[in-house]
PDB file of all heavy atoms in Angstrom:
ATOM      1  N   ASN J   1     105.615 114.580  90.170  1.00  0.00           N
ATOM      2  CA  ASN J   1     106.678 114.041  91.025  1.00  0.00           C
ATOM      3  C   ASN J   1     106.482 112.547  91.282  1.00  0.00           C
ATOM      4  O   ASN J   1     107.451 111.785  91.302  1.00  0.00           O
ATOM      5  CB  ASN J   1     106.750 114.807  92.342  1.00  0.00           C
ATOM      6  CG  ASN J   1     107.363 116.183  92.166  1.00  0.00           C
ATOM      7  OD1 ASN J   1     107.871 116.516  91.105  1.00  0.00           O
ATOM      8  ND2 ASN J   1     107.315 116.982  93.203  1.00  0.00           N
ATOM      9  N   LYS J   2     105.226 112.122  91.477  1.00  0.00           N
ATOM     10  CA  LYS J   2     104.967 110.695  91.660  1.00  0.00           C
ATOM     11  C   LYS J   2     105.361 109.921  90.406  1.00  0.00           C
ATOM     12  O   LYS J   2     105.966 108.852  90.486  1.00  0.00           O
ATOM     13  CB  LYS J   2     103.486 110.446  91.968  1.00  0.00           C
ATOM     14  CG  LYS J   2     103.084 110.780  93.378  1.00  0.00           C
ATOM     15  CD  LYS J   2     101.619 110.452  93.604  1.00  0.00           C
ATOM     16  CE  LYS J   2     101.195 110.784  95.014  1.00  0.00           C
ATOM     17  NZ  LYS J   2      99.768 110.494  95.238  1.00  0.00           N
ATOM     18  N   ALA J   3     105.016 110.474  89.238  1.00  0.00           N
ATOM     19  CA  ALA J   3     105.352 109.811  87.970  1.00  0.00           C
ATOM     20  C   ALA J   3     106.868 109.745  87.779  1.00  0.00           C
ATOM     21  O   ALA J   3     107.403 108.713  87.351  1.00  0.00           O
ATOM     22  CB  ALA J   3     104.696 110.540  86.802  1.00  0.00           C
ATOM     23  N   LYS J   4     107.564 110.827  88.108  1.00  0.00           N
ATOM     24  CA  LYS J   4     109.031 110.831  87.971  1.00  0.00           C
ATOM     25  C   LYS J   4     109.666 109.788  88.878  1.00  0.00           C
ATOM     26  O   LYS J   4     110.586 109.072  88.465  1.00  0.00           O
ATOM     27  CB  LYS J   4     109.589 112.218  88.312  1.00  0.00           C
ATOM     28  CG  LYS J   4     109.275 113.274  87.285  1.00  0.00           C
ATOM     29  CD  LYS J   4     109.795 114.619  87.770  1.00  0.00           C
ATOM     30  CE  LYS J   4     109.158 115.754  87.034  1.00  0.00           C
ATOM     31  NZ  LYS J   4     109.516 117.054  87.601  1.00  0.00           N
ATOM     32  N   ASN J   5     109.172 109.691  90.115  1.00  0.00           N
ATOM     33  CA  ASN J   5     109.702 108.675  91.033  1.00  0.00           C
ATOM     34  C   ASN J   5     109.436 107.266  90.514  1.00  0.00           C
ATOM     35  O   ASN J   5     110.296 106.397  90.603  1.00  0.00           O
ATOM     36  CB  ASN J   5     109.108 108.847  92.429  1.00  0.00           C
ATOM     37  CG  ASN J   5     109.729 110.003  93.187  1.00  0.00           C
ATOM     38  OD1 ASN J   5     110.846 110.415  92.905  1.00  0.00           O
ATOM     39  ND2 ASN J   5     108.994 110.536  94.134  1.00  0.00           N
ATOM     40  N   LYS J   6     108.233 107.028  89.958  1.00  0.00           N
ATOM     41  CA  LYS J   6     107.920 105.714  89.401  1.00  0.00           C
ATOM     42  C   LYS J   6     108.847 105.380  88.239  1.00  0.00           C
ATOM     43  O   LYS J   6     109.318 104.247  88.128  1.00  0.00           O
ATOM     44  CB  LYS J   6     106.464 105.663  88.928  1.00  0.00           C
ATOM     45  CG  LYS J   6     105.453 105.512  90.026  1.00  0.00           C
ATOM     46  CD  LYS J   6     104.067 105.389  89.409  1.00  0.00           C
ATOM     47  CE  LYS J   6     103.003 105.139  90.443  1.00  0.00           C
ATOM     48  NZ  LYS J   6     101.676 104.988  89.820  1.00  0.00           N
ATOM     49  N   ILE J   7     109.093 106.357  87.378  1.00  0.00           N
ATOM     50  CA  ILE J   7     109.984 106.132  86.229  1.00  0.00           C
ATOM     51  C   ILE J   7     111.381 105.797  86.712  1.00  0.00           C
ATOM     52  O   ILE J   7     112.002 104.836  86.251  1.00  0.00           O
ATOM     53  CB  ILE J   7     109.989 107.366  85.302  1.00  0.00           C
ATOM     54  CG1 ILE J   7     108.630 107.534  84.616  1.00  0.00           C
ATOM     55  CG2 ILE J   7     111.101 107.256  84.258  1.00  0.00           C
ATOM     56  CD1 ILE J   7     108.449 108.855  83.909  1.00  0.00           C
ATOM     57  N   LEU J   8     111.895 106.582  87.651  1.00  0.00           N
ATOM     58  CA  LEU J   8     113.244 106.327  88.167  1.00  0.00           C
ATOM     59  C   LEU J   8     113.333 104.963  88.840  1.00  0.00           C
ATOM     60  O   LEU J   8     114.311 104.233  88.634  1.00  0.00           O
ATOM     61  CB  LEU J   8     113.658 107.431  89.150  1.00  0.00           C
ATOM     62  CG  LEU J   8     113.944 108.808  88.544  1.00  0.00           C
ATOM     63  CD1 LEU J   8     114.202 109.821  89.647  1.00  0.00           C
ATOM     64  CD2 LEU J   8     115.110 108.751  87.586  1.00  0.00           C
ATOM     65  N   LYS J   9     112.313 104.589  89.623  1.00  0.00           N
ATOM     66  CA  LYS J   9     112.331 103.285  90.297  1.00  0.00           C
ATOM     67  C   LYS J   9     112.283 102.146  89.290  1.00  0.00           C
ATOM     68  O   LYS J   9     112.942 101.124  89.471  1.00  0.00           O
ATOM     69  CB  LYS J   9     111.173 103.181  91.289  1.00  0.00           C
ATOM     70  CG  LYS J   9     111.389 103.994  92.537  1.00  0.00           C
ATOM     71  CD  LYS J   9     110.216 103.896  93.483  1.00  0.00           C
ATOM     72  CE  LYS J   9     110.440 104.813  94.675  1.00  0.00           C
ATOM     73  NZ  LYS J   9     109.270 104.892  95.545  1.00  0.00           N
ATOM     74  N   TYR J  10     111.506 102.321  88.222  1.00  0.00           N
ATOM     75  CA  TYR J  10     111.423 101.278  87.203  1.00  0.00           C
ATOM     76  C   TYR J  10     112.776 101.083  86.516  1.00  0.00           C
ATOM     77  O   TYR J  10     113.172  99.955  86.220  1.00  0.00           O
ATOM     78  CB  TYR J  10     110.362 101.643  86.158  1.00  0.00           C
ATOM     79  CG  TYR J  10     110.137 100.563  85.135  1.00  0.00           C
ATOM     80  CD1 TYR J  10     109.298  99.495  85.409  1.00  0.00           C
ATOM     81  CD2 TYR J  10     110.757 100.603  83.895  1.00  0.00           C
ATOM     82  CE1 TYR J  10     109.075  98.491  84.489  1.00  0.00           C
ATOM     83  CE2 TYR J  10     110.553  99.604  82.962  1.00  0.00           C
ATOM     84  CZ  TYR J  10     109.708  98.555  83.264  1.00  0.00           C
ATOM     85  OH  TYR J  10     109.502  97.560  82.339  1.00  0.00           O
ATOM     86  N   LEU J  11     113.485 102.179  86.304  1.00  0.00           N
ATOM     87  CA  LEU J  11     114.769 102.105  85.609  1.00  0.00           C
ATOM     88  C   LEU J  11     115.902 101.601  86.496  1.00  0.00           C
ATOM     89  O   LEU J  11     116.989 101.318  86.001  1.00  0.00           O
ATOM     90  CB  LEU J  11     115.140 103.479  85.027  1.00  0.00           C
ATOM     91  CG  LEU J  11     114.187 104.035  83.966  1.00  0.00           C
ATOM     92  CD1 LEU J  11     114.604 105.442  83.575  1.00  0.00           C
ATOM     93  CD2 LEU J  11     114.118 103.138  82.752  1.00  0.00           C
ATOM     94  N   THR J  12     115.666 101.469  87.810  1.00  0.00           N
ATOM     95  CA  THR J  12     116.730 101.015  88.710  1.00  0.00           C
ATOM     96  C   THR J  12     116.944  99.505  88.660  1.00  0.00           C
ATOM     97  O   THR J  12     117.879  99.014  89.286  1.00  0.00           O
ATOM     98  CB  THR J  12     116.454 101.399  90.179  1.00  0.00           C
ATOM     99  OG1 THR J  12     115.200 100.866  90.577  1.00  0.00           O
ATOM    100  CG2 THR J  12     116.497 102.885  90.383  1.00  0.00           C
ATOM    101  N   LYS J  13     116.107  98.783  87.930  1.00  0.00           N
ATOM    102  CA  LYS J  13     116.270  97.325  87.851  1.00  0.00           C
ATOM    103  C   LYS J  13     117.690  96.975  87.428  1.00  0.00           C
ATOM    104  O   LYS J  13     118.319  96.111  88.013  1.00  0.00           O
ATOM    105  CB  LYS J  13     115.259  96.731  86.888  1.00  0.00           C
ATOM    106  CG  LYS J  13     113.829  96.870  87.370  1.00  0.00           C
ATOM    107  CD  LYS J  13     112.861  96.321  86.360  1.00  0.00           C
ATOM    108  CE  LYS J  13     111.435  96.532  86.839  1.00  0.00           C
ATOM    109  NZ  LYS J  13     110.462  96.094  85.858  1.00  0.00           N
ATOM    110  N   ASP J  14     118.162  97.609  86.411  1.00  0.00           N
ATOM    111  CA  ASP J  14     119.561  97.539  86.004  1.00  0.00           C
ATOM    112  C   ASP J  14     119.803  98.719  85.075  1.00  0.00           C
ATOM    113  O   ASP J  14     118.888  99.360  84.602  1.00  0.00           O
ATOM    114  CB  ASP J  14     119.928  96.199  85.350  1.00  0.00           C
ATOM    115  CG  ASP J  14     118.968  95.804  84.243  1.00  0.00           C
ATOM    116  OD1 ASP J  14     118.143  96.643  83.855  1.00  0.00           O
ATOM    117  OD2 ASP J  14     119.053  94.666  83.776  1.00  0.00           O
ATOM    118  N   PHE J  15     121.023  99.014  84.834  1.00  0.00           N
ATOM    119  CA  PHE J  15     121.357 100.198  84.048  1.00  0.00           C
ATOM    120  C   PHE J  15     121.344  99.874  82.559  1.00  0.00           C
ATOM    121  O   PHE J  15     122.369  99.920  81.889  1.00  0.00           O
ATOM    122  CB  PHE J  15     122.721 100.758  84.485  1.00  0.00           C
ATOM    123  CG  PHE J  15     122.671 101.398  85.837  1.00  0.00           C
ATOM    124  CD1 PHE J  15     122.987 100.667  86.975  1.00  0.00           C
ATOM    125  CD2 PHE J  15     122.282 102.707  85.980  1.00  0.00           C
ATOM    126  CE1 PHE J  15     122.923 101.244  88.221  1.00  0.00           C
ATOM    127  CE2 PHE J  15     122.210 103.299  87.231  1.00  0.00           C
ATOM    128  CZ  PHE J  15     122.536 102.565  88.359  1.00  0.00           C
ATOM    129  N   LYS J  16     120.158  99.544  82.037  1.00  0.00           N
ATOM    130  CA  LYS J  16     120.015  99.312  80.610  1.00  0.00           C
ATOM    131  C   LYS J  16     118.866 100.163  80.096  1.00  0.00           C
ATOM    132  O   LYS J  16     118.111 100.746  80.870  1.00  0.00           O
ATOM    133  CB  LYS J  16     119.786  97.831  80.306  1.00  0.00           C
ATOM    134  CG  LYS J  16     118.456  97.283  80.738  1.00  0.00           C
ATOM    135  CD  LYS J  16     118.303  95.843  80.284  1.00  0.00           C
ATOM    136  CE  LYS J  16     116.853  95.419  80.409  1.00  0.00           C
ATOM    137  NZ  LYS J  16     116.597  94.126  79.835  1.00  0.00           N
ATOM    138  N   TYR J  17     118.735 100.235  78.779  1.00  0.00           N
ATOM    139  CA  TYR J  17     117.689 101.049  78.168  1.00  0.00           C
ATOM    140  C   TYR J  17     116.355 100.310  78.164  1.00  0.00           C
ATOM    141  O   TYR J  17     116.300  99.110  77.900  1.00  0.00           O
ATOM    142  CB  TYR J  17     118.069 101.419  76.729  1.00  0.00           C
ATOM    143  CG  TYR J  17     119.099 102.515  76.657  1.00  0.00           C
ATOM    144  CD1 TYR J  17     120.443 102.225  76.541  1.00  0.00           C
ATOM    145  CD2 TYR J  17     118.709 103.851  76.697  1.00  0.00           C
ATOM    146  CE1 TYR J  17     121.393 103.240  76.472  1.00  0.00           C
ATOM    147  CE2 TYR J  17     119.651 104.867  76.635  1.00  0.00           C
ATOM    148  CZ  TYR J  17     120.977 104.558  76.522  1.00  0.00           C
ATOM    149  OH  TYR J  17     121.903 105.558  76.464  1.00  0.00           O
ATOM    150  N   TYR J  18     115.281 101.028  78.484  1.00  0.00           N
ATOM    151  CA  TYR J  18     113.918 100.505  78.438  1.00  0.00           C
ATOM    152  C   TYR J  18     113.096 101.384  77.503  1.00  0.00           C
ATOM    153  O   TYR J  18     113.240 102.605  77.516  1.00  0.00           O
ATOM    154  CB  TYR J  18     113.266 100.531  79.824  1.00  0.00           C
ATOM    155  CG  TYR J  18     113.845  99.546  80.799  1.00  0.00           C
ATOM    156  CD1 TYR J  18     114.850  99.920  81.682  1.00  0.00           C
ATOM    157  CD2 TYR J  18     113.367  98.242  80.853  1.00  0.00           C
ATOM    158  CE1 TYR J  18     115.378  99.014  82.579  1.00  0.00           C
ATOM    159  CE2 TYR J  18     113.888  97.336  81.758  1.00  0.00           C
ATOM    160  CZ  TYR J  18     114.895  97.728  82.607  1.00  0.00           C
ATOM    161  OH  TYR J  18     115.413  96.829  83.503  1.00  0.00           O
ATOM    162  N   LEU J  19     112.202 100.771  76.719  1.00  0.00           N
ATOM    163  CA  LEU J  19     111.303 101.550  75.875  1.00  0.00           C
ATOM    164  C   LEU J  19     110.356 102.364  76.742  1.00  0.00           C
ATOM    165  O   LEU J  19     109.838 101.865  77.752  1.00  0.00           O
ATOM    166  CB  LEU J  19     110.490 100.642  74.958  1.00  0.00           C
ATOM    167  CG  LEU J  19     111.197 100.124  73.722  1.00  0.00           C
ATOM    168  CD1 LEU J  19     110.340  99.078  73.018  1.00  0.00           C
ATOM    169  CD2 LEU J  19     111.502 101.265  72.773  1.00  0.00           C
ATOM    170  N   ILE J  20     110.127 103.597  76.346  1.00  0.00           N
ATOM    171  CA  ILE J  20     109.276 104.493  77.138  1.00  0.00           C
ATOM    172  C   ILE J  20     107.846 103.957  77.219  1.00  0.00           C
ATOM    173  O   ILE J  20     107.168 104.126  78.227  1.00  0.00           O
ATOM    174  CB  ILE J  20     109.327 105.928  76.577  1.00  0.00           C
ATOM    175  CG1 ILE J  20     108.774 106.922  77.603  1.00  0.00           C
ATOM    176  CG2 ILE J  20     108.618 106.039  75.259  1.00  0.00           C
ATOM    177  CD1 ILE J  20     109.083 108.358  77.300  1.00  0.00           C
ATOM    178  N   PHE J  21     107.388 103.264  76.165  1.00  0.00           N
ATOM    179  CA  PHE J  21     106.039 102.704  76.196  1.00  0.00           C
ATOM    180  C   PHE J  21     105.927 101.577  77.222  1.00  0.00           C
ATOM    181  O   PHE J  21     104.896 101.413  77.857  1.00  0.00           O
ATOM    182  CB  PHE J  21     105.652 102.204  74.796  1.00  0.00           C
ATOM    183  CG  PHE J  21     105.656 103.293  73.768  1.00  0.00           C
ATOM    184  CD1 PHE J  21     106.623 103.329  72.779  1.00  0.00           C
ATOM    185  CD2 PHE J  21     104.710 104.312  73.803  1.00  0.00           C
ATOM    186  CE1 PHE J  21     106.630 104.348  71.835  1.00  0.00           C
ATOM    187  CE2 PHE J  21     104.715 105.339  72.873  1.00  0.00           C
ATOM    188  CZ  PHE J  21     105.682 105.356  71.878  1.00  0.00           C
ATOM    189  N   ASP J  22     106.999 100.792  77.387  1.00  0.00           N
ATOM    190  CA  ASP J  22     106.997  99.731  78.400  1.00  0.00           C
ATOM    191  C   ASP J  22     106.953 100.315  79.803  1.00  0.00           C
ATOM    192  O   ASP J  22     106.237  99.811  80.676  1.00  0.00           O
ATOM    193  CB  ASP J  22     108.236  98.839  78.254  1.00  0.00           C
ATOM    194  CG  ASP J  22     108.224  98.029  76.971  1.00  0.00           C
ATOM    195  OD1 ASP J  22     107.132  97.843  76.397  1.00  0.00           O
ATOM    196  OD2 ASP J  22     109.311  97.598  76.546  1.00  0.00           O
ATOM    197  N   VAL J  23     107.717 101.375  80.019  1.00  0.00           N
ATOM    198  CA  VAL J  23     107.719 102.039  81.331  1.00  0.00           C
ATOM    199  C   VAL J  23     106.321 102.567  81.635  1.00  0.00           C
ATOM    200  O   VAL J  23     105.789 102.365  82.729  1.00  0.00           O
ATOM    201  CB  VAL J  23     108.753 103.187  81.369  1.00  0.00           C
ATOM    202  CG1 VAL J  23     108.666 103.955  82.672  1.00  0.00           C
ATOM    203  CG2 VAL J  23     110.157 102.661  81.144  1.00  0.00           C
ATOM    204  N   SER J  24     105.702 103.218  80.651  1.00  0.00           N
ATOM    205  CA  SER J  24     104.374 103.781  80.825  1.00  0.00           C
ATOM    206  C   SER J  24     103.350 102.691  81.131  1.00  0.00           C
ATOM    207  O   SER J  24     102.534 102.827  82.047  1.00  0.00           O
ATOM    208  CB  SER J  24     103.975 104.541  79.556  1.00  0.00           C
ATOM    209  OG  SER J  24     102.658 104.989  79.634  1.00  0.00           O
ATOM    210  N   LYS J  25     103.403 101.599  80.378  1.00  0.00           N
ATOM    211  CA  LYS J  25     102.430 100.514  80.557  1.00  0.00           C
ATOM    212  C   LYS J  25     102.627  99.776  81.877  1.00  0.00           C
ATOM    213  O   LYS J  25     101.673  99.533  82.619  1.00  0.00           O
ATOM    214  CB  LYS J  25     102.545  99.536  79.389  1.00  0.00           C
ATOM    215  CG  LYS J  25     101.504  98.446  79.387  1.00  0.00           C
ATOM    216  CD  LYS J  25     101.633  97.604  78.144  1.00  0.00           C
ATOM    217  CE  LYS J  25     102.211  96.269  78.550  1.00  0.00           C
ATOM    218  NZ  LYS J  25     102.397  95.332  77.463  1.00  0.00           N
ATOM    219  N   ASN J  26     103.857  99.437  82.208  1.00  0.00           N
ATOM    220  CA  ASN J  26     104.132  98.657  83.415  1.00  0.00           C
ATOM    221  C   ASN J  26     103.924  99.448  84.704  1.00  0.00           C
ATOM    222  O   ASN J  26     103.631  98.865  85.749  1.00  0.00           O
ATOM    223  CB  ASN J  26     105.545  98.081  83.374  1.00  0.00           C
ATOM    224  CG  ASN J  26     105.698  97.038  82.293  1.00  0.00           C
ATOM    225  OD1 ASN J  26     104.742  96.398  81.889  1.00  0.00           O
ATOM    226  ND2 ASN J  26     106.910  96.873  81.808  1.00  0.00           N
ATOM    227  N   GLU J  27     104.110 100.750  84.657  1.00  0.00           N
ATOM    228  CA  GLU J  27     103.944 101.576  85.859  1.00  0.00           C
ATOM    229  C   GLU J  27     102.594 102.286  85.904  1.00  0.00           C
ATOM    230  O   GLU J  27     102.352 103.096  86.793  1.00  0.00           O
ATOM    231  CB  GLU J  27     105.071 102.608  85.945  1.00  0.00           C
ATOM    232  CG  GLU J  27     106.426 102.003  86.230  1.00  0.00           C
ATOM    233  CD  GLU J  27     106.482 101.315  87.579  1.00  0.00           C
ATOM    234  OE1 GLU J  27     105.917 101.846  88.555  1.00  0.00           O
ATOM    235  OE2 GLU J  27     107.085 100.229  87.650  1.00  0.00           O
ATOM    236  N   ASN J  28     101.721 102.003  84.925  1.00  0.00           N
ATOM    237  CA  ASN J  28     100.385 102.612  84.850  1.00  0.00           C
ATOM    238  C   ASN J  28     100.443 104.139  84.880  1.00  0.00           C
ATOM    239  O   ASN J  28      99.750 104.792  85.656  1.00  0.00           O
ATOM    240  CB  ASN J  28      99.482 102.098  85.979  1.00  0.00           C
ATOM    241  CG  ASN J  28      99.208 100.628  85.870  1.00  0.00           C
ATOM    242  OD1 ASN J  28      99.063 100.101  84.763  1.00  0.00           O
ATOM    243  ND2 ASN J  28      99.164  99.952  87.000  1.00  0.00           N
ATOM    244  N   ILE J  29     101.303 104.694  84.032  1.00  0.00           N
ATOM    245  CA  ILE J  29     101.427 106.146  83.900  1.00  0.00           C
ATOM    246  C   ILE J  29     100.943 106.514  82.497  1.00  0.00           C
ATOM    247  O   ILE J  29     101.241 105.814  81.525  1.00  0.00           O
ATOM    248  CB  ILE J  29     102.899 106.607  84.061  1.00  0.00           C
ATOM    249  CG1 ILE J  29     103.483 106.089  85.369  1.00  0.00           C
ATOM    250  CG2 ILE J  29     102.999 108.117  83.999  1.00  0.00           C
ATOM    251  CD1 ILE J  29     104.982 106.323  85.488  1.00  0.00           C
ATOM    252  N   ASP J  30     100.201 107.599  82.388  1.00  0.00           N
ATOM    253  CA  ASP J  30      99.744 108.088  81.096  1.00  0.00           C
ATOM    254  C   ASP J  30     100.948 108.305  80.166  1.00  0.00           C
ATOM    255  O   ASP J  30     101.990 108.796  80.605  1.00  0.00           O
ATOM    256  CB  ASP J  30      98.975 109.403  81.294  1.00  0.00           C
ATOM    257  CG  ASP J  30      98.435 109.947  80.000  1.00  0.00           C
ATOM    258  OD1 ASP J  30      97.580 109.294  79.390  1.00  0.00           O
ATOM    259  OD2 ASP J  30      98.902 111.041  79.599  1.00  0.00           O
ATOM    260  N   GLU J  31     100.814 107.944  78.885  1.00  0.00           N
ATOM    261  CA  GLU J  31     101.946 108.055  77.954  1.00  0.00           C
ATOM    262  C   GLU J  31     102.431 109.492  77.811  1.00  0.00           C
ATOM    263  O   GLU J  31     103.633 109.743  77.789  1.00  0.00           O
ATOM    264  CB  GLU J  31     101.570 107.493  76.580  1.00  0.00           C
ATOM    265  CG  GLU J  31     101.580 105.991  76.518  1.00  0.00           C
ATOM    266  CD  GLU J  31     101.326 105.464  75.124  1.00  0.00           C
ATOM    267  OE1 GLU J  31     101.341 106.256  74.154  1.00  0.00           O
ATOM    268  OE2 GLU J  31     101.112 104.251  75.004  1.00  0.00           O
ATOM    269  N   ASP J  32     101.490 110.437  77.700  1.00  0.00           N
ATOM    270  CA  ASP J  32     101.888 111.837  77.554  1.00  0.00           C
ATOM    271  C   ASP J  32     102.635 112.325  78.788  1.00  0.00           C
ATOM    272  O   ASP J  32     103.646 113.025  78.682  1.00  0.00           O
ATOM    273  CB  ASP J  32     100.661 112.716  77.305  1.00  0.00           C
ATOM    274  CG  ASP J  32      99.979 112.399  75.986  1.00  0.00           C
ATOM    275  OD1 ASP J  32     100.697 112.019  75.032  1.00  0.00           O
ATOM    276  OD2 ASP J  32      98.747 112.526  75.909  1.00  0.00           O
ATOM    277  N   LEU J  33     102.156 111.937  79.964  1.00  0.00           N
ATOM    278  CA  LEU J  33     102.829 112.308  81.207  1.00  0.00           C
ATOM    279  C   LEU J  33     104.214 111.678  81.275  1.00  0.00           C
ATOM    280  O   LEU J  33     105.169 112.311  81.727  1.00  0.00           O
ATOM    281  CB  LEU J  33     101.982 111.890  82.413  1.00  0.00           C
ATOM    282  CG  LEU J  33     102.559 112.195  83.794  1.00  0.00           C
ATOM    283  CD1 LEU J  33     102.768 113.689  83.967  1.00  0.00           C
ATOM    284  CD2 LEU J  33     101.628 111.663  84.874  1.00  0.00           C
TER     285      LEU J  33
END
């Protein structure tokens, strides 16, 4: 749930597509998670 909230918050910057690897790296979330 913490990871899902981080992903959603990261994507709220604007409604555009972000690479999943960038989201993982910038939010310090394990890639598999």
Side-chain angles (χ1 to χ4, degrees):
N1 286 352
K2 283 182 180 179
K4 289 176 198 173
N5 284 337
K6 283 184 176 181
I7 292 168
L8 289 174
K9 286 179 184 173
Y10 185 83
L11 297 175
T12 57
K13 294 178 183 176
D14 50 10
F15 289 93
K16 70 175 194 172
Y17 283 95
Y18 290 94
L19 281 172
I20 196 166
F21 299 110
D22 293 339
V23 175
S24 174
K25 186 175 108 180
N26 293 334
E27 291 297 320
N28 296 323
I29 306 171
D30 182 64
E31 283 185 11
D32 295 327
L33 179 61

